[in-house]
């Protein structure tokens, strides 16, 4: 149960951090500044083009010498990875909102940032929730890679117990069931969320 709770903690915290960073880079991609566009494109290309395990090890060997725990190394590595995909989710959801709504807000005397915050972003967040839910599920499964830097999450606990008892297959089957149940539960929640949003759009 401790391993399960740590897995959920790593997943939730990494997705939350990834959401903040992803939103920032989404704004970079939507900016009129070529420099910010270039920074966002390079960042997303590098993160999406390199393996997640490499990113986790990058944080582990780079930060562990500073006394940073394996938990935070794994969490930051996952957050970095998630942020590149979340940036594209937000970019797509923001661009899906009719530009006329932003122009209408400006015609009412709002500044562009204010119109974006009050009119566009609430609708964009609503449309981004289902894909963000799917990204959370992906992040949940990806959190098992934290075991490779000795973080005592679910997969690490299972493999450790399997090595101690020489029943590796038994514990791998148990941990697979844990992950399957978690994924099915969160998939059900995401599907219900999609249904509510679809119903609200009608």
């Amino acid at each position: 149960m401790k391993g399960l709770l740590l897995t959920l903690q790593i997943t939730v915290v990494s997705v939350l951090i990834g959401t903040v960073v992803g939103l920032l880079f989404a704004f970079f991609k939507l900016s009129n500044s070529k420099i910010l566009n270039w920074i966002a494109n390079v960042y997303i290309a590098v993160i999406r083009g390199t393996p997640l395990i490499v990113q986790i090890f990058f944080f582990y060997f780079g930060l562990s010498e500073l006394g940073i725990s394996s938990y935070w190394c794994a969490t930051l590595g996952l957050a970095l990875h998630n942020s590149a995909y979340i940036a594209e989710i937000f970019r797509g959801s923001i661009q899906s909102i009719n530009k006329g709504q932003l122009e209408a807000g400006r015609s009412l005397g709002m500044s562009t940032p204010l119109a974006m915050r009050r009119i566009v972003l609430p609708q964009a967040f609503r449309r981004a929730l289902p894909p963000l839910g799917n990204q959370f599920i992906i992040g949940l499964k990806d959190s098992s890679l934290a075991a490779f830097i000795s973080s005592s999450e679910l997969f690490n606990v299972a493999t450790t117990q399997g090595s101690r008892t020489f029943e590796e297959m038994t514990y791998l089957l148990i941990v697979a069931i844990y992950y399957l149940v978690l994924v099915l539960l969160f998939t059900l929640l995401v599907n219900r969320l999609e249904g509510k949003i679809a119903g609200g759009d009608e």
Side-chain angles (χ1 to χ4, degrees), residues 153-174:
E153 47 71 65
L154 191 58
F155 182 71
N156 190 2
V157 171
T159 54
T160 301
Q161 292 298 322
S163 298
R164 288 176 179 173
T165 61
F166 300 102
E167 296 181 358
E168 288 86 354
M169 291 302 297
T170 299
Y171 280 95
L172 286 175
L173 178 60
I174 292 172

Side-chain angles (χ1 to χ4, degrees), residues 38-113:
W38 182 83
I39 292 173
N41 288 330
V42 170
Y43 175 83
I44 292 172
V46 170
I47 298 303
R48 295 178 69 170
T50 54
L52 173 56
I53 189 65
V54 173
Q55 296 162 19
I56 291 176
F57 274 118
F58 178 84
F59 276 98
Y60 181 65
F61 289 111
L63 298 180
S64 59
E65 294 182 358
L66 301 176
I68 306 298
S69 67
S70 60
Y71 163 80
W72 278 111
C73 291
T75 300
L76 292 175
L78 286 163
L80 187 80
H81 187 78
N82 283 323
S83 67
Y85 293 90
I86 292 173
E88 291 295 344
I89 290 173
F90 279 130
R91 179 194 59 78
S93 63
I94 291 172
Q95 288 183 325
S96 71
I97 305 301
N98 193 316
K99 292 182 179 180
Q101 297 192 38
L102 183 62
E103 295 172 359
R106 294 177 63 184
S107 68
L108 293 174
M110 295 183 185
S111 63
T112 299

Side-chain angles (χ1 to χ4, degrees), residues 6-61:
L6 186 59
T7 290
L8 292 174
Q9 186 177 348
I10 290 174
T11 304
V12 171
V13 175
S14 64
V15 170
L16 287 176
I17 296 174
T19 298
V20 174
V21 177
L23 183 59
L24 175 64
F25 279 97
F27 283 134
F28 281 8
K29 289 207 70 171
L30 295 171
S31 171
N32 293 325
S33 170
K34 291 183 178 180
I35 295 177
L36 294 180
N37 286 163
W38 182 83
I39 292 173
N41 288 330
V42 170
Y43 175 83
I44 292 172
V46 170
I47 298 303
R48 295 178 69 170
T50 54
L52 173 56
I53 189 65
V54 173
Q55 296 162 19
I56 291 176
F57 274 118
F58 178 84
F59 276 98
Y60 181 65
F61 289 111

